[in-house]
Amino acid sequence: MRDEAQSIIALLTQRIAADVTRLLSQTLAPGLYLVATPIGNLADVTVRALTVLAAADVIYCEDTRHSRGLLTHFGINNRLTAYHEHNAERERPRILALLAEGQAVALISDAGTPLVSDPGYKLVRDCATAGFDVFSIPGPSAVLGALVCAGLPTDCFLFAGFLPAKSGQRKARLADLALVPATLIFYEAPTRLAASLADMASVLGDRPVAVARELTKLHETVLRGTLHAMAVHDDNAAPRGEIAIVVGPPAATIVSDDDIVTALERALASQSLRDAVKTVAEMLGVPKARVYDIGLEIKRGGA
């Protein structure tokens, strides 16, 4: 078994070295490179990500001290410059100027895929508008990592980022999301986990939920249950680290024609047929065509 393991290691080393040599022998095309980096386990970095970071003319990151540790681990001594929400307005023109000079600029976040709950979309928009190439170097993502191990529907999901810190605002945001027919994914701070779960249970009902902590790290845990049970479980806990909450979609409900008629009659009291149809369709989660047909019947006096 030991000899077999050594053979595998030798083959992997040979193949990876060949890929690195091939990629580094190619000139990196000018443009903006969005490079995903590990969310915890450094072994999750891709070969392509490392070669892009090694070959880029400059690397922009959220925190130079944090990202320098990643680069040092892999022996990359490239130039690092900060790009975050506090200096983005100042740095964007500088990045565009570098791209105009034909340079290759890499953008990384502290962890995971850039732009996912991180600054950067305005930079990508401006680069695209100016005609510069934007390349995605895919890799780790806490959003997808949490989703696929939650045991909840994956065919349709919505990443809602961080919820507001205050309960009233948090509940209002959850109310906006309550009827979305998709699995919901949130990031949350450890100190607000219990309060957020309690508000979710209050607004969304007792849906299935998975709480993923420290994904890919030494103390990785994924707790599964219902919102009510999980809120009680975490009430006295002291969680640490990065947390993603995955909440199941709302239970499918059968909406009758009578339900639609009642809602439409209320909406038509203050809205045009077109606006009323849109309002009711979104509120009840039914097709607009169905609501419109019933609306026409109401207008003709047949409903």
Side-chain angles (χ1 to χ4, degrees), residues 1 23 33 79 82 159 228 242 259 275:
M1 191 68 179
L23 290 170
Y33 291 79
R79 181 160 63 98
F159 173 58
H228 284 304
E242 306 293 331
D259 294 330
D275 290 341

Side-chain angles (χ1 to χ4, degrees), residues 28-33 57 98-99 102-106 127 132-135:
L28 201 60
L32 177 67
Y33 291 79
D57 294 299
L98 293 175
L99 295 174
Q103 296 196 29
V105 178
C127 287
F132 300 124
D133 289 328
V134 179
F135 305 97

Side-chain angles (χ1 to χ4, degrees), residues 4-77:
E4 181 180 354
Q6 289 178 338
S7 297
I8 293 174
I9 291 172
L11 179 59
L12 286 174
T13 301
Q14 180 182 0
R15 295 284 174 82
I16 292 172
D19 283 341
V20 170
T21 300
R22 174 178 57 82
L23 290 170
L24 288 178
S25 67
Q26 303 169 357
T27 301
L28 201 60
L32 177 67
Y33 291 79
L34 309 174
V35 184
T37 56
I39 60 176
N41 192 324
L42 294 183
D44 290 336
V45 71
T46 69
V47 171
R48 189 177 175 213
L50 291 176
T51 55
V52 167
L53 292 177
D57 294 299
V58 60
I59 301 171
Y60 277 86
C61 62
E62 289 183 81
D63 186 329
T64 57
R65 294 166 300 178
H66 179 90
S67 294
R68 177 56 67 192
L70 171 69
L71 299 186
T72 298
H73 180 82
F74 290 104
I76 298 173
N77 296 310

Side-chain angles (χ1 to χ4, degrees), residues 2 23 49 57 60 76 97 137 139 157 167 173 202 210 217 286 295 303:
R2 183 177 179 181
L23 290 170
D57 294 299
Y60 277 86
I76 298 173
I137 312 299
F157 62 91
S167 180
R173 175 60 176 150
S202 173
K217 300 177 185 177
V286 295

